[in-house]
Amino acid sequence: MSRTTRNRLRLGLGASAFLLAAGLVPAPAHADDVTDYSISVDPAAKGAKIDDTMYGVFFEDINRAADGGLYAELVQNRSFEYSTDDNKSYTPLTAWTVDGTAQVVNDDGRLDARNRNYLSLGAGSSVTNAGYNTGIRVEDGKKYDFSVWARVEGATNLTVSLRDSGGALATARQVAVKKNGWAQYRATFTATRTSSNGRLTVASSAAAALDMVSLFPRDTYKHEPNGLRKDLADKIAALHPGFVRFPGGCLVNTGSMQDYSEASGYQRKRSYQWKDTIGPVETRATNSNFWGYNQSYGLGYYEYFRFAEDIGAMPLPVVPALVTGCGQNKAVDDDALLRRHIQDTLDLIEFANGPVTSEWGKKRARMGHPEPFHLTHIEVGNEENLPNEFFARFKQFRAAIQAEYPYVQVISNSGPDDSGSTFDTAWQLNKDAKVDMVDEHYYNSPQWFLQNNDRYDSYDRSGPKVFLGEYASGGNAFKNGLAEAAYMTGLERNADIVELASYAPLFANEDYVQWRPDMVWFNNHASWGSADYEVQKLFMTNVGDRVVPSTATGTPSLLAPISGAVGLSTWATSAAYDDVKVTDADGKTLLSDDFSGDAAKWTHTGSGSWSVQDGQYVQSSDTAENTMVQAGDTSWHDYDLQVKATKKSGKEGFLVAFGVKDTGNYYWWNLGGWGNTQSAVEQAVDGGKSTLIAKAGSVETGRTYGIDVKVRGRQVTLYLDGQEWGSFTDDKPAEPFRQVVTKDKKTGDLIVKVVNAQSSAARTAIDLGGAKVASKARVTTLAAAPDAVNTETSTAVAPVTSTFEGVADKFSYTFPANSITFLRIRQR
């Protein structure tokens, strides 16, 4: 792919230091563009040990990360299994066009009981596959392996061709099909041109049954057949991750917990169950993906284990706990089914680690891997929102695993949020049961990550360890990477608590996106790492073995009072508002509206349909999301907001906003959110939201609620029907200057890692506490504009390496504005 580099780094120097790097721009000359800091390092003190596995990756089949992504298969819907269960728009011929006659058949003539459909192709007819994105990608001179399972009544020839609108992409191949039942037939193409718009056509002169129509690039990552797309696998390998968590995510704990069999009615909307995904690909079950498409399971547990081994990472599988999450929130009460899933988990460990003489070790060996995969960690469940029900089942899994495999660490979780009642209950259950490790997930704003660098400083050192299995700051701009990097210095400082951490999600196909942000983006012909990817790579490849205790000064700042206009909104709900009143701290009226006339005081900035009806301001759509209207002045502070709200219909409740600066920066009280299950105050910063306070609760349809929000300085108190609901003080500074120091035992290097997430340079006095060091340091810097993003054609955020001379026991260094800098200093 073609890439250009722009917005490169700027490195400034203090008075006693200079930089040997051609073409780099010095720090700004103006004094007001520089903030002074100091860092003190104590090399004699012993900080937390950092495990090699601390940073890893989390792979979930979201955004077509598997089929159409990491899994190298170029044919979409190769086995004609697409269904409305996967997506309402799907048919068994999705991605296929027919010339002549063809129909998808589900009868006893099928290839395999778990591969339900096959194609009956009429004589003189053909089918053409469109692949993914713009089509099938082929590169001039490279080989592509075609295969198909076919059955005919008499011998015939299939004509297989690769073309785009410009003509042939390879010489067409004739495949002779014999009449002795189902058999697999193969051919190889050598591309004569490069194209991203190819189509694969299979034509037959006689009637034929076809299944598993496949086209694979010969050049896959490490293994073929059934291999991985090389550029995507290479990007993961380049991170040198300590672990790979797979396969989910919401795939694991949603849908039916039944198997894919005649007894269960071949249920398509199932949780991800590992036994469905091993063995010959033509016998693997298909499944509906939670994210709205089909998953073929061509990329299955065997391939996950093998990939983790190939890149030197610890495999970390996640199995369902029979409590659904991700909005489904149902505990499955079926003891026999629970016992079956527990046994499946024991069988999984045997599949990974058992000798070739064992039942499941023998299956692994038959797939091509007689040696064990050395599984040491396994996670049960994912983001369960019913902590008590989840934990009752988790304990049974853990007991069974520890009884048979005491060396395997069994990981629990704390639900889907970083705080709140579910989080608190789950953590208490985990502590009481002396669980080894708890998986935390959270997606918050960049400001939250800057504010909460100290999150793990106060965790119980004698309690369970933390696996930060999913986190991201709500965007792929460099400002997001800066905030995440600042937070990661706190993860490393607390490496005795946070033993594992992985950004999420990993992949996104740009034409099939269900979730943003994502670490690596791709289409059918190119891939590129986001700014967040570059941050993760910098940390993963410069971890160190132990923390060297250090302290730093902070940024001088004064927090102004919470200020802003007021707003009303809904989410998938129709609601009516009335008697809005805003008064200042002295009781002076700033806004009063009983909607007896028009709504001229309000500006509609969101979706939905607002109108004045019978003296109320009504949002009438119960499907529109984020329907914000706002009124008042962005300079208002220290005020009371009162409003009456009535739910008319829909899934949730009310959203009452305060401190509104613009459409991406505000606070709102979300009453009856999350499917009308809880209420919370959320803060939006540049569009990214974080939760400040949350409680369980719902809103009744037709009932009028009195809502009162009192803002005083940075403290907010909330009243519902005259009773105090809760309060919070938003007074944590979003500290932009963060650092951590680690030591690399192999090289003896001190690694000074500094994040400067602000628009001014950070002139810093560094005291290495008497350490004897070489005068030169290797420097790696990420620096760019806060809004810079990486794209297919432009790499705005990329590391720049240089040499710094001037290192001593005490020296100064000016860290550029909006930068992440790693100084590797050799100890003598």
Side-chain angles (χ1 to χ4, degrees):
M1 87 196 82
S2 172
R3 291 189 176 190
T4 59
T5 302
R6 57 184 170 87
N7 295 334
R8 302 297 255 186
L9 97 139
R10 297 185 173 198
L11 277 179
L13 304 180
S16 64
F18 61 93
L19 182 65
L20 295 180
L24 298 181
V25 181
H30 301 293
D32 58 359
D33 289 333
V34 180
T35 307
D36 287 314
Y37 297 91
S38 65
I39 297 173
S40 297
V41 183
D42 186 357
K46 199 171 185 179
K49 181 180 179 296
I50 305 175
D51 290 335
D52 292 340
T53 54
M54 178 168 185
Y55 293 126
V57 295
F58 165 47
F59 183 93
E60 178 174 12
D61 187 1
I62 186 174
N63 311 312
R64 281 210 181 274
D67 295 332
L70 184 62
Y71 186 50
E73 174 66 76
L74 296 172
V75 175
Q76 184 178 175
N77 190 17
R78 66 183 177 187
S79 58
F80 310 100
E81 295 290 337
Y82 276 27
S83 162
T84 53
D85 283 338
D86 308 323
N87 188 294
K88 290 180 181 178
S89 69
Y90 281 2
T91 74
L93 282 171
T94 291
W96 294 93
T97 55
V98 176
D99 185 2
T101 60
Q103 62 177 334
V104 176
V105 180
N106 180 346
D107 65 16
D108 290 342
R110 64 180 63 87
L111 172 62
D112 185 82
R114 290 156 67 82
N115 186 345
R116 308 294 292 164
N117 292 346
Y118 65 94
L119 184 74
S120 176
L121 185 64
S125 299
S126 66
V127 286
T128 299
N129 190 264
Y132 297 93
N133 300 90
T134 56
I136 291 172
R137 166 72 174 182
V138 296
E139 294 182 48
D140 186 20
K142 291 195 173 180
K143 294 184 182 298
Y144 296 85
D145 293 321
F146 168 82
S147 65
V148 64
W149 284 81
R151 187 192 69 210
V152 293
E153 293 301 321
T156 189
N157 281 338
L158 300 178
T159 302
V160 188
S161 59
L162 265 173
R163 303 177 64 84
D164 66 6
S165 59
L169 294 170
T171 302
R173 300 300 307 273
Q174 298 292 315
V175 177
V177 179
K178 300 176 182 179
K179 63 180 181 179
N180 297 325
W182 285 105
Q184 189 176 32
Y185 301 90
R186 301 180 185 275
T188 297
F189 291 97
T190 301
T192 55
R193 287 193 292 118
T194 293
S195 175
S196 298
N197 308 299
R199 300 291 187 269
L200 177 75
T201 298
V202 181
S204 181
S205 57
L210 305 179
D211 206 347
M212 296 297 290
V213 182
S214 173
L215 186 69
F216 257 85
R218 179 75 59 83
D219 185 20
T220 56
Y221 185 80
K222 298 281 189 182
H223 303 279
E224 54 90 18
N226 210 50
L228 305 181
R229 178 172 151 175
K230 195 171 187 303
D231 64 322
L232 296 182
D234 280 340
K235 280 190 168 52
I236 305 175
L239 295 169
H240 299 287
F243 64 87
V244 179
R245 177 177 178 248
F246 64 89
C250 288
L251 302 186
V252 167
N253 68 333
T254 53
S256 168
M257 299 293 165
Q258 300 290 339
D259 62 1
Y260 192 63
S261 67
E262 183 177 9
S264 67
Y266 293 103
Q267 295 190 39
R268 283 292 289 272
K269 294 186 175 183
R270 310 184 310 285
S271 62
Y272 196 111
Q273 299 174 46
W274 77 273
K275 289 181 179 178
D276 288 342
T277 76
I278 65 166
V281 290
E282 66 271 13
T283 67
R284 297 184 190 183
T286 190
N287 201 4
S288 169
N289 183 298
F290 174 82
W291 298 108
Y293 51 91
N294 177 271
Q295 48 191 343
S296 71
Y297 286 150
L299 175 57
Y301 257 73
Y302 176 75
E303 289 75 24
Y304 284 125
F305 276 127
R306 192 176 59 183
F307 180 56
E309 180 181 70
D310 287 341
I311 63 176
M314 176 181 80
L316 204 167
V318 187
V319 298
L322 275 70
V323 177
T324 58
C326 303
Q328 297 183 0
N329 299 338
K330 179 182 177 183
V332 179
D333 291 317
D334 184 329
D335 286 342
L337 188 59
L338 176 62
R339 288 194 298 273
R340 194 267 287 174
H341 274 268
I342 291 172
Q343 185 59 51
D344 280 356
T345 303
L346 297 174
D347 293 344
L348 170 60
I349 300 171
E350 184 178 288
F351 176 77
N353 295 350
V356 295
T357 54
S358 66
E359 177 185 358
W360 292 98
K362 183 183 297 183
K363 292 180 187 292
R364 180 194 70 240
R366 285 176 178 169
M367 293 185 73
H369 202 285
E371 301 82 11
F373 284 117
H374 306 293
L375 177 65
T376 59
H377 291 66
I378 196 163
E379 184 171 355
V380 176
N382 171 76
E383 292 189 10
E384 281 72 24
N385 218 3
L386 302 171
N388 291 296
E389 292 84 346
F390 160 73
F391 207 74
R393 291 156 179 78
F394 171 83
K395 288 192 295 185
Q396 295 184 59
F397 276 87
R398 185 177 66 161
I401 294 168
Q402 290 183 338
E404 198 158 335
Y405 301 101
Y407 62 87
V408 173
Q409 191 169 103
V410 187
I411 301 171
S412 178
N413 75 81
S414 59
D417 303 307
D418 62 88
S419 59
S421 58
T422 296
F423 178 88
D424 292 340
T425 300
W427 256 105
Q428 192 59 54
L429 290 166
N430 284 306
K431 285 180 180 178
D432 291 346
K434 294 181 170 52
V435 168
D436 289 332
M437 186 176 289
V438 178
D439 187 3
E440 294 189 352
H441 294 177
Y442 38 83
Y443 298 91
N444 290 322
S445 68
Q447 176 164 306
W448 185 94
F449 283 94
L450 292 176
Q451 288 176 319
N452 287 278
N453 177 276
D454 63 349
R455 175 179 176 89
Y456 297 107
D457 290 1
S458 59
Y459 270 49
D460 181 1
R461 263 51 200 171
S462 63
K465 304 302 181 184
V466 171
F467 172 21
L468 181 49
E470 297 183 32
Y471 71 98
S473 69
N476 278 142
F478 188 49
K479 62 187 176 187
N480 300 99
L482 283 166
E484 291 153 5
Y487 193 72
M488 292 169 79
T489 66
L491 299 183
E492 291 193 5
R493 188 176 64 252
N494 289 285
D496 58 326
I497 290 292
V498 184
E499 291 193 345
L500 305 171
S502 50
Y503 179 100
L506 177 58
F507 282 128
N509 185 321
E510 66 175 356
D511 293 331
Y512 308 93
V513 181
Q514 292 87 41
W515 184 281
R516 299 172 188 267
D518 305 284
M519 190 156 66
V520 175
W521 290 79
F522 65 92
N523 49 39
N524 68 353
H525 61 274
S527 58
W528 56 98
S530 65
D532 315 76
Y533 173 86
E534 295 298 343
V535 169
Q536 293 293 321
K537 186 177 179 181
L538 183 59
F539 274 83
M540 287 194 203
T541 55
N542 293 277
V543 181
D545 302 285
R546 188 172 291 279
V547 175
V548 181
S550 61
T551 57
T553 52
T555 305
S557 65
L558 292 173
L559 289 171
I562 291 173
S563 62
V566 298
L568 308 170
S569 189
T570 59
W571 199 285
T573 303
S574 173
Y577 294 94
D578 201 359
D579 296 333
V580 178
K581 189 173 184 180
V582 181
T583 55
D584 68 15
D586 297 326
K588 178 184 174 182
T589 298
L590 301 175
L591 171 71
S592 182
D593 203 338
D594 63 3
F595 304 106
S596 56
D598 56 26
K601 298 175 182 177
W602 298 84
T603 301
H604 187 187
T605 59
S607 62
S609 178
W610 288 87
S611 61
V612 175
Q613 301 177 22
D614 300 323
Q616 295 180 311
Y617 201 18
V618 178
Q619 196 293 111
S620 54
S621 171
D622 59 8
T623 58
E625 299 177 345
N626 198 5
T627 65
M628 179 88 82
V629 291
Q630 63 185 68
D633 195 310
T634 56
S635 66
W636 284 353
H637 61 88
D638 295 293
Y639 58 75
D640 294 357
L641 165 62
Q642 295 176 315
V643 61
K644 292 178 180 175
T646 309
K647 175 180 176 178
K648 297 174 72 70
S649 64
K651 297 179 180 178
E652 302 204 346
F654 322 113
L655 295 162
V656 176
F658 54 96
V660 180
K661 295 292 190 184
D662 52 46
T663 55
N665 295 274
Y666 54 84
Y667 300 80
W668 67 19
W669 190 3
N670 187 348
L671 286 151
W674 296 271
N676 205 16
T677 61
Q678 64 175 311
S679 299
V681 176
E682 297 177 281
Q683 181 183 17
V685 178
D686 293 335
K689 294 191 187 73
S690 54
T691 300
L692 303 180
I693 180 174
K695 294 182 179 182
S698 59
V699 166
E700 298 175 24
T701 302
R703 175 182 165 187
T704 298
Y705 292 83
I707 297 167
D708 185 0
V709 180
K710 294 187 183 298
V711 182
R712 295 293 184 272
R714 299 202 66 83
Q715 181 170 342
V716 178
T717 309
L718 308 113
Y719 297 86
L720 188 62
D721 289 334
Q723 301 296 313
E724 183 175 334
W725 177 86
S727 65
F728 67 92
T729 303
D730 182 22
D731 62 354
K732 266 191 157 184
E735 173 58 60
F737 184 83
R738 297 291 189 185
Q739 61 80 39
V740 70
V741 181
T742 64
K743 182 178 179 180
D744 186 330
K745 183 171 62 176
K746 183 176 180 181
T747 64
D749 290 352
L750 290 176
I751 312 172
V752 179
K753 310 174 187 184
V754 176
V755 181
N756 183 30
Q758 61 185 329
S759 58
S760 59
R763 182 169 51 207
T764 308
I766 301 174
D767 183 346
L768 296 179
K772 290 180 170 54
V773 293
S775 61
K776 291 183 180 180
R778 284 192 295 126
V779 184
T780 305
T781 306
L782 289 171
D787 292 326
V789 295
N790 288 348
T791 68
E792 179 183 347
T793 58
S794 175
T795 308
V797 181
V800 173
T801 57
S802 59
T803 301
F804 172 67
E805 292 189 7
V807 177
D809 175 32
K810 295 180 180 179
F811 68 102
S812 72
Y813 193 97
T814 300
F815 297 95
N818 301 306
S819 70
I820 305 162
T821 306
F822 280 28
L823 299 168
R824 292 194 73 115
I825 301 170
R826 181 64 54 87
Q827 293 190 95
R828 293 188 303 198

